[in-house]
Amino acid sequence: MTLEIDGSILEGGGQILRIALSLSALCRIPVRITKIRANRAKGGLAAQHLKGIELLRDICQANVRGAELGSSQIEFEPKTIRGGTFTADTKTAGSIGLLLQISLPVCLFADREVTLELKGGTNCEMAPQIDEMTEILRPNLEKFGATFDFDLLRRGYFPKGGGHCVIKCRPVKSLKAVEITNFGDYMKIYGWNYVAGTLPLNLAHDMANGAKNKMQNLPVRANIEVYKEDPAIARDNCSGIILCTETTTGCFIGSGRIGSRKESSKVTGEKAALEMLYATNSGACVDSHVQDQLIIFMALAKGTSRVRTLPLTLHTKTAIHVCELMTKAKFRVVEEGQTCVIECDGIGLENSN
């Protein structure tokens, strides 16, 4: 029986599509998703979403109907998740990070190692920079007993894209429940400030100094590397910052921003620091972007997971809604001061391969 999913609920964007299709593949549930991205100015499937669907289709040998640009409805009927090498190329600056979001949970339950050749944007607005996926999401994922290897061949920026990453993912038997509720103390703060193309290095220094100024009262000193990308790796113009706090209890909390002509580099750095400080000062153990990405892994894990987060974002609420709709996972949210503790009784999905 096909499960009907309203793509306009809550966040009403691409996240519903990514989580629903990942769970469809993992739980072998045929789905029909309607009103796709209805809450966006230009609804329906964009190139980014279409390539994600096609990538997932190939990994789980699905039958798909309605997968075309602008489509507001698709049907997805998954089969067996298989390993091997798969390629997705947005041919734009469509986010490689979002391609990884839709495919990574499924790759963990393949019959053998999966290699993903992903092409598009590595560092773009409105999506996680690929560095945030590898340096902040990955250590949090490893608490569930899973990880991935990553190789960056070329950076891709808006509007041309052209980035190229290779991700290798080894399957797991199952995911273990996590307890990420104790912030502990600051252990180290680190980050990267980069410029690429014809942009001068002083922009990166200004961005790093802006971030450091906002963090100067913390008990540890921020170590921010400033550099210019090798032209062989990054041909076009871009600047940006990625920050991460690591705590004594093993929490990884981060933030990232892309430089813009509309604001000074110093202000961009300040905003990145303030975003991370909002999480660390509250006592949260993950940042607002990672918290919604962990929901699907909590739903799949064996046992009860508990994660201390910032107040629930609409993306997090959407992730919880879709996971409860499609699985028997049960979520509870307990507000504690400036944070919430998300609890989940996971389904303990096992890799039959």
Side-chain angles (χ1 to χ4, degrees), residues 2-267:
T2 300
L3 178 64
E4 297 264 357
I5 297 176
D6 182 347
S8 68
I9 55 175
L10 294 170
E11 179 262 347
Q15 189 196 36
I16 295 173
L17 190 74
R18 288 187 290 274
I19 295 177
L21 293 182
S22 292
L23 289 174
S24 171
L26 287 162
C27 301
R28 303 262 186 113
I29 302 172
V31 294
R32 180 183 297 110
I33 306 175
T34 61
K35 302 178 185 176
I36 293 172
R37 300 181 67 243
N39 291 358
R40 297 296 181 262
K42 187 176 181 180
L45 296 176
Q48 161 71 54
H49 312 98
L50 182 58
K51 291 303 175 183
I53 293 168
E54 292 174 348
L55 175 62
L56 205 56
R57 174 201 64 195
D58 295 343
I59 294 171
C60 69
Q61 308 172 78
N63 293 323
V64 184
R65 288 175 290 278
E68 55 190 42
L69 286 176
S71 175
S72 61
Q73 175 176 309
I74 67 161
E75 295 182 26
F76 191 88
E77 184 181 347
K79 296 179 182 177
T80 304
I81 301 170
R82 57 178 183 159
T85 300
F86 303 95
T87 299
D89 184 356
T90 66
K91 300 188 184 300
T92 66
S95 170
I96 288 175
L98 295 181
L99 290 176
L100 185 58
Q101 262 188 34
I102 192 173
S103 57
L104 179 59
V106 179
C107 294
L108 293 175
F109 290 85
D111 60 353
R112 63 188 189 279
E113 183 176 88
V114 176
T115 298
L116 300 175
E117 295 261 1
L118 304 182
K119 299 179 180 181
T122 57
N123 304 77
C124 308
E125 292 281 7
M126 306 301 291
Q129 298 187 67
I130 195 63
D131 312 74
E132 295 175 80
M133 301 291 285
T134 60
E135 306 307 316
I136 303 168
L137 173 66
R138 183 167 53 180
N140 281 290
L141 175 63
E142 288 171 349
K143 301 177 193 301
F144 291 86
T147 192
F148 58 90
D149 295 327
F150 172 83
D151 197 10
L152 173 68
L153 303 182
R154 189 164 57 251
R155 296 273 184 186
Y157 308 127
F158 181 84
K160 294 181 180 179
H164 184 187
C165 301
V166 178
I167 291 97
K168 292 189 176 182
C169 181
R170 293 177 295 277
V172 298
K173 177 65 177 175
S174 62
L175 297 174
K176 61 185 180 183
V178 298
E179 180 82 15
I180 312 174
T181 55
N182 180 12
F183 179 86
D185 297 311
Y186 288 94
M187 187 168 77
K188 56 183 177 179
I189 301 170
Y190 52 94
W192 303 265
N193 254 126
Y194 63 88
V195 292
T198 60
L199 298 183
L201 188 60
N202 69 282
L203 292 181
H205 282 290
D206 290 345
M207 204 177 290
N209 289 335
K212 288 177 181 178
N213 287 342
K214 291 297 181 183
M215 297 186 290
Q216 60 184 338
N217 294 326
L218 295 179
V220 295
R221 180 175 175 271
N223 180 21
I224 302 177
E225 180 184 359
V226 175
Y227 66 98
K228 183 159 186 170
E229 291 282 8
D230 186 327
I233 300 295
R235 294 169 295 185
D236 300 316
N237 290 350
C238 190
S239 64
I241 182 171
I242 298 95
L243 298 174
C244 185
T245 292
E246 183 179 350
T247 76
T248 54
T249 55
C251 296
F252 289 83
I253 302 160
S255 67
R257 292 188 75 88
I258 299 292
S260 170
R261 294 179 180 177
K262 297 178 182 179
E263 67 182 18
S264 71
S265 296
K266 178 183 177 183
V267 169

